Amino acid sequence: MNINATLLGQAISFAIFVWFCMKYVWPPLTAAMQERQEKLSEGLQYAEKAEQELAQAKENVELELATAKKQAAEIVEQANKRANQLVDEAKNDAIKVGERVKQAALDDIDQQVNRAKEDLRSQVAGLAVLGAEKILSKSVDQGAHSEMLDKLAAEL
Amino acid sequence: MGFWAIHLDSMGWSIFLGIMFLFIFKKVANGVTTGVPSGLQNFVEMIVEFIDDTVKDTFGHKNPLVAPLALTIFVWVFLMNFMDLIPVDFIPYVAQAMGVGHMKVVPSTDPNITLGMSFSIFALILFYSFKMKGVSGFSKELALHPFNHWAMIPFNLTLELIGLFTKPISLALRLFGNMYAGEMIFILIALLPFWAQWTLSVPWAIFHILIITLQAFIFMVLTVVYLSMAHDTESH
């Protein structure tokens, strides 16, 4: 265990190794690690930003969806209203047409009734004259009594 | 042989392991990517980051030398200690077959190796103490600390100088002692009959994994702490 020049040899190799390590080993390794760290932090920042953007986009989508739904509801409501209106109009038209037809029919009936009455009246007058002639046998002067007979017929 | 003898086995293994360390790390550094690191790069980066964090935590000054120094110490000392886990007789037997009578394969069980490193660190401590505090500042720190009174200067000086010189000695002897004792126990276990050796050598080897890592770590952290103290300029 004597102390000898091995000590110096070790000291010299130590110095050389440390110098080599300091010059060629340490700097590239730490530089690469630092760079990676920067890259990582950049990546994380990007990720955070992307997340924020995503959240924003989701919010936008929800907003748009809500407006679209609202618009759709409005359109449906309008359509319903319009449909009801159309139905109402049609109903009213139908009622009007029906009433008109009914009125026409009633008028027609009245007319026919009147005509029938007229016919009956004239026939009754004829029958009355015929009856009276038969009763009086002979002398009912057609000319003298026609005025009275007409009056009678009009009263019937 | 005297002082100028060189332990070729310790020296050779030490340099071989140091070159292995630099070769692997340089290879990774050459092909380094900032993307997803592959297996070896991941491992190397883990070590580098660990060293970087430790240095940042304990060394509060700016010095581009300290972190690479700490990395070299940690990995190199770890590799030298790691030779301890190779079964004690493997390499010496092979060496013997090749005509080399004795071979020590764990460089950190040679005090020349650990002292060689700690004295280099001591030189750095002195260099940075003088550089950061100036000659007068450093002398004042040695002379007027811990008792700031002129009459206490001899006492302070004795205390501080002993403290100063203890740093490299304790650094070197701690590592040497731990590794030497560990290797000695492996050698003692190897004296058992071969079928009984595993009962002791396996637990000891597993425990030794902890020790070699811990000793490499302690050597590195103490170096950083000593250098940090050498950089501290504020007077206490």
Side-chain angles (χ1 to χ4, degrees):
Chain A
M1 282 312 131
N2 45 342
I3 300 297
N4 58 27
T6 313
L7 190 152
L8 297 177
Q10 177 73 4
I12 292 166
S13 23
F14 184 41
I16 293 171
F17 288 157
V18 170
W19 168 81
F20 188 88
C21 180
M22 188 170 89
K23 188 113 183 173
Y24 298 109
V25 174
W26 188 263
L29 283 173
T30 46
M33 283 159 73
Q34 182 115 25
E35 204 172 312
R36 178 171 323 116
Q37 212 160 17
E38 273 160 23
K39 258 190 187 171
L40 277 180
S41 67
E42 244 171 57
L44 284 177
Q45 269 173 356
Y46 276 133
E48 208 169 299
K49 215 165 132 194
E51 217 169 298
Q52 274 176 1
E53 272 168 16
L54 184 67
Q56 183 75 39
K58 266 187 187 166
E59 225 167 82
N60 280 352
V61 165
E62 253 163 52
L63 213 76
E64 300 250 313
L65 245 150
T67 33
K69 266 187 195 166
K70 217 163 104 187
Q71 273 180 350
E74 261 169 32
I75 289 170
V76 168
E77 205 181 334
Q78 265 178 357
N80 274 340
K81 225 189 256 174
R82 181 92 187 104
N84 283 342
Q85 216 175 348
L86 280 178
V87 169
D88 278 351
E89 268 172 25
K91 223 192 257 173
N92 287 344
D93 281 356
I95 288 169
K96 259 185 218 159
V97 169
E99 262 168 16
R100 207 180 300 141
V101 168
K102 197 167 114 191
Q103 198 61 46
L106 282 178
D107 286 353
D108 204 24
I109 288 167
D110 275 356
Q111 238 172 358
Q112 286 197 12
V113 165
N114 281 345
R115 202 177 299 149
K117 268 184 187 167
E118 209 76 22
D119 271 3
L120 279 175
R121 202 179 285 144
S122 55
Q123 279 178 17
V124 166
L127 281 176
V129 170
L130 219 65
E133 259 176 20
K134 271 185 183 158
I135 294 166
L136 297 175
S137 296
K138 296 182 198 159
S139 59
V140 174
D141 187 0
Q142 197 94 147
H145 299 288
S146 67
E147 195 182 342
M148 191 192 70
L149 284 171
D150 278 345
K151 219 186 263 174
L152 191 70
E155 269 171 30
L156 280 169
Chain B
M1 289 271 268
F3 179 77
W4 291 107
I6 283 191
H7 294 155
L8 285 177
D9 46 2
S10 310
M11 201 68 252
W13 280 110
S14 158
I15 290 175
F16 169 73
L17 291 169
I19 288 173
M20 283 288 289
F21 149 61
L22 288 175
F23 177 73
I24 292 170
F25 274 56
K26 183 78 182 88
K27 211 178 127 199
V28 170
N30 282 344
V32 74
T33 79
T34 55
V36 179
S38 61
L40 185 61
Q41 191 190 338
N42 209 351
F43 179 66
V44 164
E45 279 188 7
M46 200 179 76
I47 296 172
V48 168
E49 199 169 1
F50 167 66
I51 301 292
D52 202 30
D53 285 348
T54 312
V55 169
K56 270 178 192 151
D57 283 346
T58 41
F59 190 78
H61 311 272
K62 273 220 158 28
N63 191 335
L65 170 70
V66 174
L69 175 76
L71 177 68
T72 311
I73 290 173
F74 180 68
V75 181
W76 196 17
V77 170
F78 176 81
L79 287 176
M80 290 197 284
N81 293 350
F82 184 82
M83 298 304 286
D84 215 0
L85 291 179
I86 297 171
V88 273
D89 285 335
F90 270 26
I91 297 169
Y93 256 71
V94 173
Q96 217 157 28
M98 283 166 20
V100 181
H102 299 279
M103 174 165 278
K104 189 199 276 286
V105 293
V106 190
S108 47
T109 56
D110 186 340
N112 288 301
I113 297 294
T114 57
L115 280 170
M117 293 180 83
S118 70
F119 280 156
S120 311
I121 292 159
F122 185 57
L124 282 176
I125 293 173
L126 291 181
F127 174 73
Y128 283 114
S129 291
F130 282 122
K131 192 184 168 194
M132 305 307 286
K133 300 166 188 175
V135 177
S136 69
F138 189 40
S139 316
K140 267 186 200 158
E141 191 182 285
L142 291 178
L144 302 174
H145 186 250
F147 303 109
N148 195 356
H149 188 274
W150 61 267
M152 298 299 275
I153 285 177
F155 179 75
N156 288 341
L157 216 51
T158 322
L159 205 65
E160 286 291 308
L161 282 177
I162 290 175
L164 187 66
F165 287 112
T166 309
K167 282 175 184 172
I169 306 284
S170 67
L171 200 57
L173 292 187
R174 178 183 305 107
L175 179 60
F176 162 68
N178 271 284
M179 290 304 112
Y180 191 71
E183 182 77 342
M184 191 62 92
I185 287 172
F186 274 123
I187 291 170
L188 288 178
I189 290 169
L191 293 176
L192 288 174
F194 76 91
W195 46 266
Q197 286 180 12
W198 67 271
T199 52
L200 290 173
S201 64
V202 168
W204 183 242
I206 292 171
F207 181 55
H208 223 62
I209 295 173
L210 177 70
I211 293 181
I212 60 172
T213 319
L214 200 62
Q215 286 305 322
F217 179 69
I218 289 172
F219 201 98
M220 175 205 78
V221 166
L222 282 178
T223 304
V224 175
V225 169
Y226 290 157
L227 284 177
S228 173
M229 282 158 71
H231 282 70
D232 280 335
T233 44
E234 71 260 33
S235 50
H236 298 276

